[in-house]
Amino acid sequence: MSRAFVKEDAGERWTPPAPACAYQVIWTAGPRPEVLRETDDLLDALQWLASRDRSGFELRDRQGLLLATVA
């Protein structure tokens, strides 16, 4: 196998990074913000957010712009 396809430190095959999703659902009530869900479907993200029964969730776009919260 060519060394171009092997990571130097772990000896594993190289895998491309996952493409960035358009929307992220972030939980902000913990000690530091945590991304819980990523999707390219805005309606799916809003429905998932609406089904939460606790506060502390935010919906942000790829650039970090706040779109919605659960208060």
Side-chain angles (χ1 to χ4, degrees):
M1 176 187 304
S2 170
R3 293 187 60 80
F5 298 104
V6 177
K7 290 183 181 177
E8 288 293 323
D9 56 348
E12 299 173 4
R13 281 189 163 286
W14 178 84
T15 55
C21 291
Y23 306 102
Q24 293 181 333
V25 176
I26 302 170
W27 184 54
T28 59
R32 62 179 189 210
E34 180 181 352
V35 176
L36 297 180
R37 186 174 177 91
E38 293 182 314
T39 183
D40 289 323
D41 185 356
L42 179 58
L43 291 178
D44 176 55
L46 288 170
Q47 288 173 345
W48 191 90
L49 196 65
S51 68
R52 302 301 101 186
D53 59 351
R54 297 187 300 177
S55 61
F57 293 95
E58 296 179 348
L59 175 62
R60 294 188 176 266
D61 70 358
R62 184 178 294 158
Q63 290 78 26
L65 181 66
L66 180 64
L67 302 174
T69 63
V70 174

